[in-house]
Amino acid sequence: MITVPPVITIDGPSGSGKGTLCRAIAGSLQWHFLDSGAIYRVLALAALRRNINIVSEEMLTGVAMNLNVRFLLNEGEMQVIFEEKDVTEEIRTQSISHTASLIALFPRLRKILLHYQHIFRKQPGLIADGRDVGTVVFPDACIKIFLNASLKERVYRRMLQLKKRGCNINFKSLLADMEERDKRDYNRAIAPLLPAENAWLLDSTAMTKEQLINKVMNYIKNKLVL
């Protein structure tokens, strides 16, 4: 009898804390990890490197069909490996983020990447981070969480991340950028950013990283009976 590997999905907008949370859970459970957003970012990086027109779904599809991405967890930090090189920092720039959110609107491209994401589902289990992993990618996930935070708090968190990378970002410009990103994610025709019907809705605005991780790990342990 073949047992399907369990999946825990965590969806939510940028800056809600889902990346930090997913890495902590994957490390604690020793499960595999999927950052679905990073796959779109890597595709954006590959397209820009090859001077591909990002409004051409056909050209982007050709790149997507030959994408080679893997994730490594190293002491709680995630490394994104593309074509055997670490591109973790490179795909976190504002230009890559913007490009990724634009190409994510193409339906044929999303279908190809949907099948690609399914490859990451392996024993003993998978922690999936994204915007539609609980609704579209893994609708049969055993635990679904939708993590959110106030827009202002998410902007501050993103600014801290960028400052650590040596980037100086204006609050107002980042606020406008994230508002536009939210609008695209929540209102796109295919796989919009919405909680799954059976998802646990959690607001991280007033939580520290440790509080968030502890709260979610207790929830998971109760659900999985670990």
Side-chain angles (χ1 to χ4, degrees), residues 3-214:
T3 303
V4 178
V7 180
I8 295 174
T9 61
I10 301 182
D11 286 305
S14 176
S16 58
K18 63 184 189 297
T20 299
L21 178 60
C22 284
R23 291 192 297 272
I25 297 171
S28 178
L29 298 180
Q30 291 295 291
W31 283 17
H32 297 283
F33 179 80
L34 165 64
D35 183 340
S36 64
I39 291 178
Y40 283 90
R41 288 171 181 267
V42 169
L43 178 57
L45 175 64
L48 293 174
R49 280 182 177 180
R50 300 170 191 178
N51 295 316
I52 288 175
N53 187 346
I54 63 166
V55 299
S56 172
E57 184 176 17
E58 184 176 351
M59 295 180 72
L60 288 168
T61 297
V63 178
M65 291 178 71
N66 296 286
L67 211 59
N68 180 16
V69 185
R70 58 192 176 93
F71 303 101
L72 296 178
L73 273 176
N74 185 13
E75 296 182 355
E77 294 299 320
M78 181 192 69
Q79 289 179 291
V80 182
I81 309 299
F82 172 54
E83 296 180 341
E84 298 309 312
K85 291 184 179 180
D86 187 344
V87 295
T88 309
E89 295 300 320
E90 196 172 355
I91 64 170
R92 297 300 173 185
T93 63
Q94 285 300 101
S95 62
I96 293 294
S97 296
H98 179 69
T99 303
S101 69
L102 293 176
I103 65 178
L105 299 174
F106 291 120
R108 185 181 170 197
L109 196 61
R110 295 192 69 88
K111 187 175 182 179
I112 291 171
L113 294 183
L114 172 64
H115 292 297
Y116 184 66
Q117 291 171 81
H118 288 163
I119 296 172
F120 290 84
R121 186 175 194 169
K122 301 175 182 177
Q123 296 290 1
L126 176 69
I127 308 298
D129 167 349
R131 286 173 168 76
D132 65 346
V133 287
T135 53
V136 176
V137 186
F138 300 108
D140 63 336
C142 59
I143 294 177
K144 300 178 184 180
I145 298 170
F146 190 89
L147 187 63
N148 209 341
S150 70
L151 177 60
K152 185 177 180 180
E153 177 63 22
R154 292 192 287 118
V155 173
Y156 278 128
R157 291 175 183 176
R158 182 62 176 155
M159 285 189 72
L160 287 175
Q161 289 176 339
L162 292 171
K163 282 182 179 179
K164 287 180 180 178
R165 299 186 180 106
C167 303
N168 290 317
I169 303 295
N170 178 272
F171 179 86
K172 288 185 177 180
S173 64
L174 184 57
L175 174 67
D177 184 71
M178 290 186 72
E179 280 184 316
E180 182 61 30
R181 177 70 185 272
D182 284 353
K183 189 180 297 183
R184 283 197 298 270
D185 288 341
Y186 281 106
N187 296 298
R188 64 191 179 210
I190 299 175
L193 172 60
L194 294 171
E197 289 186 5
N198 54 342
W200 179 33
L201 307 183
L202 184 59
D203 191 310
S204 70
T205 304
M207 293 186 194
T208 64
K209 178 178 72 174
E210 291 74 20
Q211 288 173 333
L212 176 62
I213 292 170
N214 288 336

